[in-house]
Structures are given as structure tokens and as C-alpha cells.
Short mmCIF file of all heavy atoms in Angstrom, two decimals:
data_model
loop_
_atom_site.label_atom_id
_atom_site.label_comp_id
_atom_site.label_asym_id
_atom_site.label_seq_id
_atom_site.Cartn_x
_atom_site.Cartn_y
_atom_site.Cartn_z
N MET A 1 55.47 121.51 76.66
CA MET A 1 56.86 121.58 76.18
C MET A 1 56.85 121.57 74.66
O MET A 1 56.21 120.73 74.05
CB MET A 1 57.66 120.38 76.67
CG MET A 1 57.82 120.36 78.17
SD MET A 1 58.76 121.79 78.73
CE MET A 1 59.10 121.29 80.42
N SER A 2 57.55 122.50 74.06
CA SER A 2 57.55 122.55 72.60
C SER A 2 58.94 122.91 72.08
O SER A 2 59.83 123.27 72.84
CB SER A 2 56.53 123.56 72.11
OG SER A 2 56.78 124.82 72.65
N TRP A 3 59.06 122.79 70.77
CA TRP A 3 60.34 123.06 70.12
C TRP A 3 60.16 124.19 69.13
O TRP A 3 59.09 124.38 68.57
CB TRP A 3 60.80 121.81 69.36
CG TRP A 3 61.08 120.65 70.26
CD1 TRP A 3 60.16 119.88 70.91
CD2 TRP A 3 62.36 120.13 70.63
NE1 TRP A 3 60.81 118.91 71.65
CE2 TRP A 3 62.14 119.04 71.49
CE3 TRP A 3 63.66 120.50 70.28
CZ2 TRP A 3 63.19 118.31 72.03
CZ3 TRP A 3 64.70 119.76 70.82
CH2 TRP A 3 64.48 118.67 71.68
N GLY A 4 61.23 124.91 68.88
CA GLY A 4 61.17 126.00 67.91
C GLY A 4 62.20 125.79 66.82
O GLY A 4 63.24 125.18 67.04
N LEU A 5 61.87 126.26 65.61
CA LEU A 5 62.79 126.15 64.49
C LEU A 5 63.36 127.54 64.19
O LEU A 5 62.61 128.47 63.92
CB LEU A 5 62.05 125.60 63.27
CG LEU A 5 62.89 125.42 62.00
CD1 LEU A 5 63.99 124.39 62.20
CD2 LEU A 5 62.00 124.99 60.85
N PHE A 6 64.68 127.66 64.27
CA PHE A 6 65.33 128.95 64.06
C PHE A 6 66.38 128.86 62.98
O PHE A 6 67.04 127.84 62.85
CB PHE A 6 66.02 129.42 65.35
CG PHE A 6 65.08 129.53 66.51
CD1 PHE A 6 64.87 128.44 67.37
CD2 PHE A 6 64.39 130.70 66.75
CE1 PHE A 6 64.00 128.55 68.45
CE2 PHE A 6 63.51 130.81 67.82
CZ PHE A 6 63.32 129.73 68.67
N GLN A 7 66.54 129.93 62.21
CA GLN A 7 67.62 129.99 61.23
C GLN A 7 68.73 130.87 61.78
O GLN A 7 68.47 131.97 62.27
CB GLN A 7 67.11 130.56 59.91
CG GLN A 7 68.23 130.59 58.86
CD GLN A 7 67.70 130.83 57.47
OE1 GLN A 7 66.55 131.23 57.28
NE2 GLN A 7 68.53 130.60 56.47
N LYS A 8 69.95 130.38 61.72
CA LYS A 8 71.06 131.18 62.18
C LYS A 8 71.29 132.31 61.20
O LYS A 8 71.45 132.08 59.99
CB LYS A 8 72.32 130.30 62.27
CG LYS A 8 73.51 131.04 62.87
CD LYS A 8 74.69 130.10 63.00
CE LYS A 8 75.88 130.85 63.60
NZ LYS A 8 77.07 129.98 63.72
N PRO A 9 71.30 133.55 61.66
CA PRO A 9 71.44 134.70 60.77
C PRO A 9 72.68 134.61 59.90
O PRO A 9 73.76 134.27 60.38
CB PRO A 9 71.55 135.89 61.74
CG PRO A 9 70.88 135.42 62.98
CD PRO A 9 71.17 133.94 63.06
N GLY A 10 72.53 134.88 58.61
CA GLY A 10 73.65 134.89 57.70
C GLY A 10 74.07 133.52 57.20
O GLY A 10 75.06 133.39 56.47
N THR A 11 73.36 132.49 57.57
CA THR A 11 73.71 131.14 57.14
C THR A 11 72.45 130.41 56.69
O THR A 11 71.35 130.94 56.79
CB THR A 11 74.33 130.30 58.28
OG1 THR A 11 73.30 129.92 59.18
CG2 THR A 11 75.39 131.09 59.03
N ARG A 12 72.63 129.17 56.23
CA ARG A 12 71.48 128.34 55.90
C ARG A 12 71.17 127.36 57.01
O ARG A 12 70.30 126.53 56.90
CB ARG A 12 71.74 127.58 54.59
CG ARG A 12 71.82 128.49 53.37
CD ARG A 12 71.86 127.65 52.11
NE ARG A 12 70.64 126.86 51.96
CZ ARG A 12 70.57 125.67 51.39
NH1 ARG A 12 71.66 125.13 50.91
NH2 ARG A 12 69.43 125.03 51.30
N GLU A 13 71.93 127.46 58.06
CA GLU A 13 71.75 126.52 59.18
C GLU A 13 70.40 126.71 59.85
O GLU A 13 69.99 127.82 60.15
CB GLU A 13 72.81 126.76 60.26
CG GLU A 13 74.17 126.24 59.92
CD GLU A 13 75.16 126.57 61.05
OE1 GLU A 13 74.75 126.61 62.22
OE2 GLU A 13 76.35 126.79 60.72
N LEU A 14 69.74 125.60 60.09
CA LEU A 14 68.49 125.63 60.84
C LEU A 14 68.72 124.93 62.17
O LEU A 14 69.43 123.92 62.24
CB LEU A 14 67.38 124.92 60.05
CG LEU A 14 67.00 125.59 58.74
CD1 LEU A 14 66.00 124.72 57.99
CD2 LEU A 14 66.41 126.96 58.98
N HIS A 15 68.12 125.45 63.19
CA HIS A 15 68.29 124.87 64.51
C HIS A 15 66.96 124.58 65.15
O HIS A 15 66.10 125.45 65.25
CB HIS A 15 69.11 125.81 65.40
CG HIS A 15 70.53 125.94 64.96
ND1 HIS A 15 71.54 125.21 65.53
CD2 HIS A 15 71.11 126.66 63.97
CE1 HIS A 15 72.68 125.50 64.92
NE2 HIS A 15 72.45 126.37 63.97
N VAL A 16 66.80 123.33 65.54
CA VAL A 16 65.59 122.94 66.26
C VAL A 16 65.93 122.99 67.74
O VAL A 16 66.73 122.19 68.24
CB VAL A 16 65.13 121.51 65.86
CG1 VAL A 16 63.86 121.13 66.61
CG2 VAL A 16 64.88 121.46 64.35
N ILE A 17 65.34 123.95 68.42
CA ILE A 17 65.73 124.24 69.80
C ILE A 17 64.53 124.09 70.74
O ILE A 17 63.44 124.59 70.46
CB ILE A 17 66.29 125.69 69.87
CG1 ILE A 17 67.58 125.77 69.04
CG2 ILE A 17 66.53 126.11 71.31
CD1 ILE A 17 68.16 127.18 68.97
N PRO A 18 64.74 123.40 71.85
CA PRO A 18 63.65 123.26 72.83
C PRO A 18 63.37 124.61 73.49
O PRO A 18 64.28 125.27 73.96
CB PRO A 18 64.20 122.24 73.83
CG PRO A 18 65.68 122.27 73.66
CD PRO A 18 65.95 122.67 72.24
N LEU A 19 62.11 124.99 73.50
CA LEU A 19 61.73 126.26 74.09
C LEU A 19 61.59 126.14 75.60
O LEU A 19 61.20 125.10 76.11
CB LEU A 19 60.41 126.73 73.48
CG LEU A 19 60.40 126.84 71.95
CD1 LEU A 19 59.00 127.19 71.47
CD2 LEU A 19 61.40 127.86 71.47
N GLU A 20 61.95 127.20 76.28
CA GLU A 20 61.82 127.23 77.75
C GLU A 20 62.57 126.07 78.40
O GLU A 20 62.09 125.47 79.35
CB GLU A 20 60.34 127.21 78.16
CG GLU A 20 59.60 128.42 77.66
CD GLU A 20 58.09 128.30 77.88
OE1 GLU A 20 57.68 127.43 78.67
OE2 GLU A 20 57.35 129.06 77.27
N ASP A 21 63.74 125.77 77.85
CA ASP A 21 64.55 124.72 78.46
C ASP A 21 65.18 125.25 79.76
O ASP A 21 65.14 126.44 80.04
CB ASP A 21 65.65 124.27 77.49
CG ASP A 21 66.22 122.91 77.86
OD1 ASP A 21 65.69 122.26 78.78
OD2 ASP A 21 67.20 122.48 77.22
N LEU A 22 65.74 124.36 80.54
CA LEU A 22 66.32 124.75 81.83
C LEU A 22 67.49 125.70 81.64
O LEU A 22 67.81 126.50 82.51
CB LEU A 22 66.78 123.49 82.58
CG LEU A 22 65.68 122.46 82.85
CD1 LEU A 22 66.25 121.25 83.58
CD2 LEU A 22 64.54 123.07 83.64
N ARG A 23 68.14 125.58 80.50
CA ARG A 23 69.26 126.45 80.18
C ARG A 23 69.06 126.98 78.77
O ARG A 23 68.64 126.24 77.89
CB ARG A 23 70.55 125.64 80.28
CG ARG A 23 71.81 126.48 80.12
CD ARG A 23 73.02 125.59 80.43
NE ARG A 23 74.25 126.20 79.92
CZ ARG A 23 75.43 125.61 79.95
NH1 ARG A 23 75.56 124.40 80.47
NH2 ARG A 23 76.50 126.20 79.47
N GLU A 24 69.37 128.24 78.54
CA GLU A 24 69.13 128.84 77.24
C GLU A 24 70.09 128.29 76.19
O GLU A 24 71.27 128.06 76.47
CB GLU A 24 69.30 130.35 77.35
CG GLU A 24 68.56 131.09 76.27
CD GLU A 24 68.25 132.52 76.68
OE1 GLU A 24 67.84 132.73 77.84
OE2 GLU A 24 68.41 133.40 75.84
N HIS A 25 69.57 128.10 74.98
CA HIS A 25 70.41 127.56 73.91
C HIS A 25 70.95 128.66 73.02
O HIS A 25 70.32 129.69 72.84
CB HIS A 25 69.59 126.58 73.05
CG HIS A 25 69.28 125.30 73.75
ND1 HIS A 25 69.94 124.13 73.51
CD2 HIS A 25 68.38 125.03 74.73
CE1 HIS A 25 69.45 123.18 74.31
NE2 HIS A 25 68.50 123.70 75.05
N GLU A 26 72.09 128.38 72.46
CA GLU A 26 72.71 129.29 71.52
C GLU A 26 72.35 128.79 70.12
O GLU A 26 72.40 127.59 69.85
CB GLU A 26 74.23 129.22 71.72
CG GLU A 26 75.03 130.12 70.82
CD GLU A 26 76.52 129.87 71.02
OE1 GLU A 26 76.91 129.56 72.17
OE2 GLU A 26 77.27 129.96 70.05
N CYS A 27 71.95 129.69 69.24
CA CYS A 27 71.57 129.29 67.88
C CYS A 27 72.81 129.08 67.03
O CYS A 27 73.15 129.87 66.17
CB CYS A 27 70.64 130.34 67.26
SG CYS A 27 69.93 129.80 65.70
N GLY A 28 73.53 128.01 67.30
CA GLY A 28 74.75 127.71 66.56
C GLY A 28 75.26 126.33 66.94
O GLY A 28 74.81 125.73 67.93
N LYS A 29 76.23 125.82 66.15
CA LYS A 29 76.73 124.48 66.42
C LYS A 29 77.59 124.42 67.68
O LYS A 29 77.93 123.35 68.17
CB LYS A 29 77.55 123.99 65.22
CG LYS A 29 76.69 123.87 63.98
CD LYS A 29 77.47 123.21 62.83
CE LYS A 29 76.57 123.10 61.61
NZ LYS A 29 77.09 122.20 60.58
N GLY A 30 77.97 125.59 68.19
CA GLY A 30 78.79 125.62 69.39
C GLY A 30 77.97 125.60 70.68
O GLY A 30 78.52 125.80 71.75
N CYS A 31 76.70 125.36 70.56
CA CYS A 31 75.84 125.34 71.74
C CYS A 31 76.32 124.28 72.74
O CYS A 31 76.86 123.26 72.36
CB CYS A 31 74.40 125.06 71.31
SG CYS A 31 73.22 125.12 72.66
N TRP A 32 76.06 124.55 74.01
CA TRP A 32 76.51 123.64 75.07
C TRP A 32 75.92 122.24 74.94
O TRP A 32 76.47 121.27 75.46
CB TRP A 32 76.13 124.22 76.45
CG TRP A 32 74.66 124.51 76.57
CD1 TRP A 32 74.04 125.71 76.32
CD2 TRP A 32 73.62 123.60 76.94
NE1 TRP A 32 72.69 125.58 76.50
CE2 TRP A 32 72.40 124.30 76.90
CE3 TRP A 32 73.60 122.25 77.31
CZ2 TRP A 32 71.17 123.70 77.20
CZ3 TRP A 32 72.38 121.65 77.61
CH2 TRP A 32 71.18 122.38 77.55
N CYS A 33 74.77 122.13 74.28
CA CYS A 33 74.09 120.83 74.21
C CYS A 33 74.64 119.94 73.10
O CYS A 33 74.18 118.83 72.92
CB CYS A 33 72.59 121.04 74.03
SG CYS A 33 72.13 121.49 72.36
N ARG A 34 75.63 120.44 72.36
CA ARG A 34 76.23 119.69 71.26
C ARG A 34 75.16 119.19 70.28
O ARG A 34 74.88 117.99 70.17
CB ARG A 34 77.02 118.50 71.80
CG ARG A 34 78.12 118.97 72.75
CD ARG A 34 78.85 117.80 73.36
NE ARG A 34 79.61 117.07 72.36
CZ ARG A 34 80.16 115.89 72.56
NH1 ARG A 34 80.05 115.31 73.72
NH2 ARG A 34 80.82 115.29 71.60
N PRO A 35 74.53 120.13 69.56
CA PRO A 35 73.49 119.77 68.61
C PRO A 35 73.98 118.80 67.53
O PRO A 35 75.14 118.87 67.12
CB PRO A 35 73.08 121.12 68.00
CG PRO A 35 74.19 122.06 68.30
CD PRO A 35 74.82 121.57 69.57
N ALA A 36 73.10 117.92 67.10
CA ALA A 36 73.45 116.92 66.11
C ALA A 36 72.77 117.24 64.78
O ALA A 36 71.63 117.66 64.75
CB ALA A 36 73.00 115.54 66.59
N GLU A 37 73.52 117.02 63.68
CA GLU A 37 72.93 117.23 62.37
C GLU A 37 71.88 116.16 62.09
O GLU A 37 72.08 115.00 62.42
CB GLU A 37 74.01 117.18 61.28
CG GLU A 37 74.94 118.37 61.33
CD GLU A 37 76.00 118.30 60.23
OE1 GLU A 37 76.00 117.31 59.46
OE2 GLU A 37 76.80 119.23 60.13
N ASP A 38 70.83 116.58 61.42
CA ASP A 38 69.79 115.63 61.06
C ASP A 38 70.32 114.66 60.00
O ASP A 38 71.07 115.05 59.11
CB ASP A 38 68.58 116.39 60.51
CG ASP A 38 67.39 115.48 60.31
OD1 ASP A 38 66.66 115.23 61.26
OD2 ASP A 38 67.21 115.00 59.17
N ASP A 39 69.95 113.41 60.09
CA ASP A 39 70.45 112.40 59.16
C ASP A 39 70.08 112.71 57.72
O ASP A 39 70.85 112.51 56.79
CB ASP A 39 69.90 111.02 59.52
CG ASP A 39 70.52 110.50 60.81
OD1 ASP A 39 71.60 111.00 61.17
OD2 ASP A 39 69.93 109.64 61.44
N GLU A 40 68.87 113.16 57.51
CA GLU A 40 68.38 113.40 56.16
C GLU A 40 68.59 114.81 55.67
O GLU A 40 68.72 115.07 54.48
CB GLU A 40 66.89 113.04 56.09
CG GLU A 40 66.66 111.56 56.37
CD GLU A 40 65.18 111.21 56.39
OE1 GLU A 40 64.35 112.11 56.20
OE2 GLU A 40 64.88 110.04 56.62
N GLU A 41 68.61 115.77 56.59
CA GLU A 41 68.81 117.16 56.21
C GLU A 41 69.90 117.79 57.06
O GLU A 41 69.64 118.32 58.13
CB GLU A 41 67.51 117.94 56.38
CG GLU A 41 66.41 117.45 55.47
CD GLU A 41 65.24 118.42 55.47
OE1 GLU A 41 65.46 119.56 55.05
OE2 GLU A 41 64.17 118.03 55.91
N PRO A 42 71.15 117.71 56.56
CA PRO A 42 72.31 118.17 57.34
C PRO A 42 72.27 119.65 57.71
O PRO A 42 73.00 120.07 58.62
CB PRO A 42 73.49 117.89 56.40
CG PRO A 42 73.00 116.81 55.51
CD PRO A 42 71.54 117.08 55.31
N VAL A 43 71.45 120.45 57.03
CA VAL A 43 71.38 121.86 57.42
C VAL A 43 70.60 122.02 58.72
O VAL A 43 70.63 123.07 59.35
CB VAL A 43 70.72 122.75 56.34
CG1 VAL A 43 71.55 122.74 55.07
CG2 VAL A 43 69.29 122.35 56.07
N VAL A 44 69.89 120.96 59.10
CA VAL A 44 69.10 121.01 60.32
C VAL A 44 69.91 120.48 61.50
O VAL A 44 70.43 119.37 61.46
CB VAL A 44 67.80 120.18 60.18
CG1 VAL A 44 67.02 120.18 61.49
CG2 VAL A 44 66.95 120.73 59.06
N ASN A 45 70.04 121.31 62.51
CA ASN A 45 70.76 120.90 63.71
C ASN A 45 69.78 120.73 64.85
O ASN A 45 69.05 121.66 65.20
CB ASN A 45 71.80 121.97 64.08
CG ASN A 45 72.88 122.08 63.03
OD1 ASN A 45 73.85 121.33 63.04
ND2 ASN A 45 72.71 122.99 62.08
N ARG A 46 69.78 119.55 65.40
CA ARG A 46 68.83 119.27 66.48
C ARG A 46 69.50 119.42 67.84
O ARG A 46 70.47 118.73 68.14
CB ARG A 46 68.27 117.85 66.33
CG ARG A 46 67.48 117.68 65.05
CD ARG A 46 66.86 116.31 64.93
NE ARG A 46 66.07 116.22 63.72
CZ ARG A 46 64.82 116.68 63.62
NH1 ARG A 46 64.25 117.22 64.66
NH2 ARG A 46 64.17 116.59 62.48
N HIS A 47 68.97 120.30 68.62
CA HIS A 47 69.54 120.52 69.94
C HIS A 47 68.99 119.50 70.92
O HIS A 47 67.95 118.88 70.70
CB HIS A 47 69.24 121.94 70.40
CG HIS A 47 70.02 122.97 69.65
ND1 HIS A 47 70.89 123.85 70.25
CD2 HIS A 47 70.06 123.24 68.33
CE1 HIS A 47 71.44 124.63 69.31
NE2 HIS A 47 70.95 124.28 68.14
N ASN A 48 69.71 119.34 72.00
CA ASN A 48 69.34 118.37 73.01
C ASN A 48 68.81 119.09 74.25
O ASN A 48 69.49 119.93 74.83
CB ASN A 48 70.56 117.53 73.40
CG ASN A 48 71.11 116.79 72.19
OD1 ASN A 48 70.47 115.91 71.65
ND2 ASN A 48 72.30 117.18 71.77
N ALA A 49 67.60 118.77 74.63
CA ALA A 49 66.99 119.44 75.76
C ALA A 49 67.61 119.00 77.08
O ALA A 49 67.82 117.81 77.32
CB ALA A 49 65.49 119.15 75.78
N MET A 50 67.91 119.97 77.92
CA MET A 50 68.50 119.65 79.20
C MET A 50 67.50 118.87 80.10
O MET A 50 67.89 118.06 80.92
CB MET A 50 68.88 120.94 79.91
CG MET A 50 69.65 120.74 81.19
SD MET A 50 70.20 122.31 81.88
CE MET A 50 71.96 122.09 81.79
N ASP A 51 66.23 119.11 79.86
CA ASP A 51 65.25 118.41 80.68
C ASP A 51 64.90 117.03 80.14
O ASP A 51 64.07 116.33 80.68
CB ASP A 51 63.98 119.26 80.87
CG ASP A 51 63.30 119.59 79.56
OD1 ASP A 51 63.62 118.93 78.54
OD2 ASP A 51 62.47 120.50 79.54
N GLY A 52 65.58 116.62 79.05
CA GLY A 52 65.43 115.26 78.56
C GLY A 52 64.17 114.99 77.75
O GLY A 52 63.85 113.86 77.47
N ARG A 53 63.48 116.06 77.36
CA ARG A 53 62.19 115.82 76.69
C ARG A 53 62.33 115.10 75.36
O ARG A 53 61.42 114.45 74.92
CB ARG A 53 61.46 117.15 76.49
CG ARG A 53 61.99 117.97 75.35
CD ARG A 53 61.29 119.30 75.25
NE ARG A 53 61.71 120.20 76.33
CZ ARG A 53 61.53 121.51 76.28
NH1 ARG A 53 60.93 122.04 75.26
NH2 ARG A 53 61.93 122.27 77.26
N GLU A 54 63.49 115.24 74.69
CA GLU A 54 63.62 114.61 73.38
C GLU A 54 63.55 113.09 73.46
O GLU A 54 63.20 112.43 72.51
CB GLU A 54 64.92 115.02 72.69
CG GLU A 54 66.13 114.41 73.37
CD GLU A 54 67.34 114.42 72.46
OE1 GLU A 54 67.21 114.85 71.32
OE2 GLU A 54 68.41 113.99 72.90
N ALA A 55 63.87 112.55 74.60
CA ALA A 55 63.83 111.10 74.75
C ALA A 55 62.43 110.57 74.47
O ALA A 55 62.26 109.46 74.00
CB ALA A 55 64.26 110.72 76.16
N PHE A 56 61.44 111.40 74.74
CA PHE A 56 60.07 110.97 74.53
C PHE A 56 59.60 111.23 73.11
O PHE A 56 58.74 110.54 72.60
CB PHE A 56 59.15 111.71 75.50
CG PHE A 56 59.48 111.44 76.93
CD1 PHE A 56 60.23 112.34 77.66
CD2 PHE A 56 59.08 110.26 77.53
CE1 PHE A 56 60.55 112.10 78.99
CE2 PHE A 56 59.41 110.01 78.86
CZ PHE A 56 60.14 110.94 79.59
N GLU A 57 60.19 112.24 72.47
CA GLU A 57 59.70 112.61 71.15
C GLU A 57 60.45 111.93 70.00
O GLU A 57 59.97 111.81 68.93
CB GLU A 57 59.80 114.14 70.97
CG GLU A 57 58.94 114.84 72.01
CD GLU A 57 58.80 116.33 71.70
OE1 GLU A 57 59.23 116.75 70.63
OE2 GLU A 57 58.23 117.02 72.53
N ARG A 58 61.66 111.49 70.25
CA ARG A 58 62.44 110.91 69.17
C ARG A 58 62.59 109.41 69.29
O ARG A 58 62.92 108.73 68.34
CB ARG A 58 63.83 111.57 69.12
CG ARG A 58 63.74 113.05 68.76
CD ARG A 58 65.08 113.73 68.92
NE ARG A 58 66.09 113.17 68.02
CZ ARG A 58 67.40 113.44 68.12
NH1 ARG A 58 67.82 114.24 69.03
NH2 ARG A 58 68.24 112.90 67.28
N GLY A 59 62.41 108.88 70.48
CA GLY A 59 62.48 107.44 70.66
C GLY A 59 63.82 106.82 70.34
O GLY A 59 63.92 105.69 69.93
N GLU A 60 64.90 107.60 70.55
CA GLU A 60 66.21 107.10 70.20
C GLU A 60 66.99 106.59 71.41
O GLU A 60 68.11 106.17 71.28
CB GLU A 60 67.03 108.20 69.53
CG GLU A 60 66.50 108.57 68.16
CD GLU A 60 67.30 109.67 67.53
OE1 GLU A 60 68.26 110.12 68.17
OE2 GLU A 60 66.97 110.06 66.41
N ARG A 61 66.41 106.70 72.56
CA ARG A 61 67.18 106.36 73.76
C ARG A 61 66.68 105.10 74.45
O ARG A 61 66.89 104.89 75.62
CB ARG A 61 67.17 107.53 74.73
CG ARG A 61 67.90 108.72 74.13
CD ARG A 61 68.25 109.73 75.18
NE ARG A 61 69.10 110.77 74.59
CZ ARG A 61 69.35 111.92 75.18
NH1 ARG A 61 68.83 112.18 76.35
NH2 ARG A 61 70.12 112.80 74.60
N LEU A 62 66.05 104.29 73.69
CA LEU A 62 65.47 103.07 74.28
C LEU A 62 66.56 102.11 74.75
O LEU A 62 66.34 101.31 75.66
CB LEU A 62 64.57 102.39 73.28
CG LEU A 62 63.36 103.22 72.82
CD1 LEU A 62 62.59 102.48 71.76
CD2 LEU A 62 62.47 103.54 74.01
N LEU A 63 67.73 102.20 74.14
CA LEU A 63 68.78 101.24 74.46
C LEU A 63 69.63 101.66 75.65
O LEU A 63 70.39 100.86 76.18
CB LEU A 63 69.69 101.03 73.24
CG LEU A 63 68.98 100.45 72.00
CD1 LEU A 63 69.97 100.35 70.85
CD2 LEU A 63 68.40 99.08 72.31
N SER A 64 69.54 102.90 76.03
CA SER A 64 70.42 103.39 77.08
C SER A 64 69.88 103.11 78.47
O SER A 64 68.74 102.73 78.63
CB SER A 64 70.68 104.88 76.91
OG SER A 64 69.48 105.59 77.09
ZN1 ZN B 101 71.43 123.72 72.18
#
């Protein structure tokens, strides 16, 4: 399982998108997964994997 970094055409927006996810992602803030802006780099939008893989890579869901 891996992630890809994409730039939205015509903008400075960057999108970190899970590759081969269960559902295809849209390279934009309107994606179904409700991408979140990175805390340190707001141009970076982090998408949420439908298969939950980010829970293992980001360690942010320990409280849930
Ligand atoms: Zn997405």
C-alpha cells in the first residue's frame, strides 16, 4: 500500500492520495474522503484512505 503526491492542475494545491484505494479519489478538496490540510503546509491536502491505512502511518487515531 502506498501513497502518491499529485498537484491539482492550474493550482498550487498538492494532494497526498492513497493509491489503489477501494474507491477512486478526486484530486481536489471536494473529494468524498474530505481531505484535510496539513498543519505545517496548508497547500498539502491529505486524503483519507477508505481502507483505513492512514491509521497505521500517521498514528493519529489512537484515541478513537
Ligand atoms: Zn480523497
Side-chain angles (χ1 to χ4, degrees):
M1 295 297 193
S2 57
W3 296 73
L5 180 63
F6 302 91
Q7 181 166 14
K8 185 177 180 181
T11 74
R12 292 189 62 212
E13 284 178 33
L14 296 174
H15 291 263
V16 180
I17 296 176
L19 304 175
E20 297 171 16
D21 199 7
L22 302 179
R23 186 172 164 186
E24 203 156 318
H25 289 257
E26 180 185 326
C27 189
K29 297 187 180 194
C31 184
W32 56 267
C33 76
R34 301 176 67 192
E37 290 181 359
D38 188 84
D39 290 339
E40 297 176 0
E41 297 191 63
V43 297
V44 177
N45 295 275
R46 296 183 178 279
H47 289 240
N48 300 294
M50 187 175 243
D51 60 16
R53 78 184 72 162
E54 70 161 357
F56 300 99
E57 299 191 8
R58 294 171 63 191
E60 291 179 0
R61 295 197 173 166
L62 298 176
L63 299 177
S64 65

